[in-house]
Amino acid sequence: MTTAETLLAGPRGHRMVLAYARDAERTLQPEFRGDLFDHAVSLAAYHLESGREGARVLYGPGADEARQNVLTADDVAHRLSQVPLPEVTAVALRSALADAVDAARYWQDPDGEDILVAAEPVRRELRRVAEHIARSPHAQWWTTPDATDQWLVGWSEDGTDSVGSTTAELLRDYGDRTAAEEVRAGRDRPADPSANWSGWWWSTPPTRCSSRRLFDGTPAGLWFVEDSMGWERAIARRVNIPAGARVYEVDGAQAWAELCRQFHVEVTAQKRHDWYRTTGRSGRWVIPDWSRLPERYEGVHLTVAGYLAAAGTAIAVDADTASVIAGWAPDDTYWLTDTVKLDSDDSQTWVCDTVGRRPCWVEEAHH
């Protein structure tokens, strides 16, 4: 797929293009106006969610009028067609990608913005924005493999590595718990995928995860966090990777499906309710059997392009089973052996400055 096609292939890509367009309009038109695209998105998303549990709420001056102003997907698409697209910057792309990652919710139905960007009129207009982004050199790293300069981001105050077990022990324990949970969920949870039930919706290994440094020296892991807790302080530590380390590249749905075909474990009973809500698919589910992967690979890397195109979708593994990339962030590499070491002497403390229009991570000077 081209970069533009990647952006239009999956829900996270759609949300990134939407975030970029909204930010572009705010940059060029910082003052609020009722006829702006950004306002149209908020109104349309509100009405698409209306009546659902946890739906967004309108309040304050003008709220009553806004509730009566129902905008269609065609209305939103028309306003999007009027948004001028400024030159793409690395900061704007990172900000849009961070917004798309933060909006991922794999335990609930698609929200109003997810529904809106999937509507055909809006998707047609998003293509113009996607093609604009795709022409930028700042998007070229999205398809690149695992980088050698890797950093693990920890959100604890002291940045210590609290993992006391070996990676093999973590994987073995995770495999045992997953198998036990499948038995328990099959016994205790309803088979109806639409039942109001939730569980462990992630499909990540239980091991260390790292990412590359971006254009300004900040680790990608600072910016791209699904289901974030709003952390504003982090410790980043360099990861030493042995020469010749074998890393499996997940550059899209097919690569993930192949990983599941080679090594898989069934998780239907424990995932079906969450993954039905987020994908609309009912059926058998599997994830990679992480405990068996070290036979062939030291790590698994998800490219940015792979994330944008495939995360949050029902990925067909075979005629009967599917899987979901959930809980991953773009450019994540999960390490599956202890040949990969943390550098105890090379760490950075980062603090998030939230004063400006966009948050900014700043390295704290060591005293």
Side-chain angles (χ1 to χ4, degrees), residues 108-191:
Q108 66 182 32
D109 296 312
D111 66 18
E113 291 177 6
D114 290 326
I115 299 169
L116 183 63
V117 294
E120 184 56 33
V122 178
R123 287 186 62 178
R124 282 199 307 267
E125 286 302 327
L126 286 174
R127 177 167 292 278
R128 175 179 71 100
V129 186
E131 290 173 347
H132 178 71
I133 292 171
R135 287 191 289 269
S136 169
H138 299 301
Q140 290 181 356
W141 72 277
W142 294 352
T143 57
T144 57
D146 179 59
T148 55
D149 186 16
Q150 290 282 307
W151 293 78
L152 180 149
V153 173
W155 306 104
S156 64
E157 280 299 310
D158 59 5
T160 56
D161 187 13
S162 59
V163 178
S165 305
T166 66
T167 301
E169 289 169 340
L170 287 174
L171 290 169
R172 185 167 56 250
D173 178 64
Y174 177 79
D176 292 343
R177 285 187 288 110
T178 300
E181 180 60 21
E182 187 65 8
V183 172
R184 185 164 47 247
R187 181 187 65 231
D188 298 341
R189 301 185 192 183

Side-chain angles (χ1 to χ4, degrees), residues 59-79:
Y59 58 90
D64 288 338
E65 181 182 350
R67 292 189 194 100
Q68 307 304 317
N69 187 11
V70 179
L71 294 177
T72 66
D74 284 308
D75 296 328
V76 174
H78 174 70
R79 293 198 191 181

Side-chain angles (χ1 to χ4, degrees), residues 241-245:
I241 306 163

Side-chain angles (χ1 to χ4, degrees), residues 8-233:
L8 298 170
R12 305 275 48 86
H14 288 151
R15 288 299 292 268
M16 182 188 171
V17 180
L18 177 71
Y20 179 85
R22 297 179 82 174
D23 186 66
E25 185 184 59
R26 293 186 199 115
T27 300
L28 299 169
Q29 179 54 256
E31 298 299 322
F32 172 81
R33 289 206 325 251
D35 62 344
L36 293 177
F37 167 66
D38 185 46
H39 183 55
V41 170
S42 297
L43 277 183
Y46 163 77
H47 286 290
L48 287 168
E49 291 180 11
S50 184
R52 283 181 11 189
E53 183 180 352
R56 68 190 72 196
V57 177
L58 295 179
Y59 58 90
D64 288 338
E65 181 182 350
R67 292 189 194 100
Q68 307 304 317
N69 187 11
V70 179
L71 294 177
T72 66
D74 284 308
D75 296 328
V76 174
H78 174 70
R79 293 198 191 181
L80 175 55
S81 72
Q82 307 301 306
V83 175
L85 300 177
E87 181 180 352
V88 175
T89 66
V91 170
L93 281 195
R94 182 178 64 192
S95 177
L97 181 55
D99 284 349
V101 175
D102 192 47
R105 303 287 186 272
Y106 301 123
W107 62 93
Q108 66 182 32
D109 296 312
D111 66 18
E113 291 177 6
D114 290 326
I115 299 169
L116 183 63
V117 294
E120 184 56 33
V122 178
R123 287 186 62 178
R124 282 199 307 267
E125 286 302 327
L126 286 174
R127 177 167 292 278
R128 175 179 71 100
V129 186
E131 290 173 347
H132 178 71
I133 292 171
R135 287 191 289 269
S136 169
H138 299 301
Q140 290 181 356
W141 72 277
W142 294 352
T143 57
T144 57
D146 179 59
T148 55
D149 186 16
Q150 290 282 307
W151 293 78
L152 180 149
V153 173
W155 306 104
S156 64
E157 280 299 310
D158 59 5
T160 56
D161 187 13
S162 59
V163 178
S165 305
T166 66
T167 301
E169 289 169 340
L170 287 174
L171 290 169
R172 185 167 56 250
D173 178 64
Y174 177 79
D176 292 343
R177 285 187 288 110
T178 300
E181 180 60 21
E182 187 65 8
V183 172
R184 185 164 47 247
R187 181 187 65 231
D188 298 341
R189 301 185 192 183
D192 178 2
S194 65
N196 186 20
W197 203 281
S198 186
W200 186 265
W201 48 264
W202 295 262
S203 59
T204 55
T207 54
R208 288 170 174 160
C209 174
S210 64
S211 58
R212 76 187 70 200
R213 287 198 293 184
L214 302 180
F215 60 93
D216 60 353
T218 57
L222 289 174
W223 299 94
F224 311 137
V225 185
E226 288 193 344
D227 192 28
S228 73
M229 303 295 290
W231 298 290
E232 295 184 356
R233 185 181 179 85

Side-chain angles (χ1 to χ4, degrees), residues 43 63-64 99 103 129 184 256 291-292 315 339 342 351 358:
L43 277 183
D64 288 338
D99 284 349
V129 186
R184 185 164 47 247
W256 181 267
S291 65
R292 292 177 55 203
I315 298 171
T339 58
L342 286 180
V351 178
R358 296 188 181 105

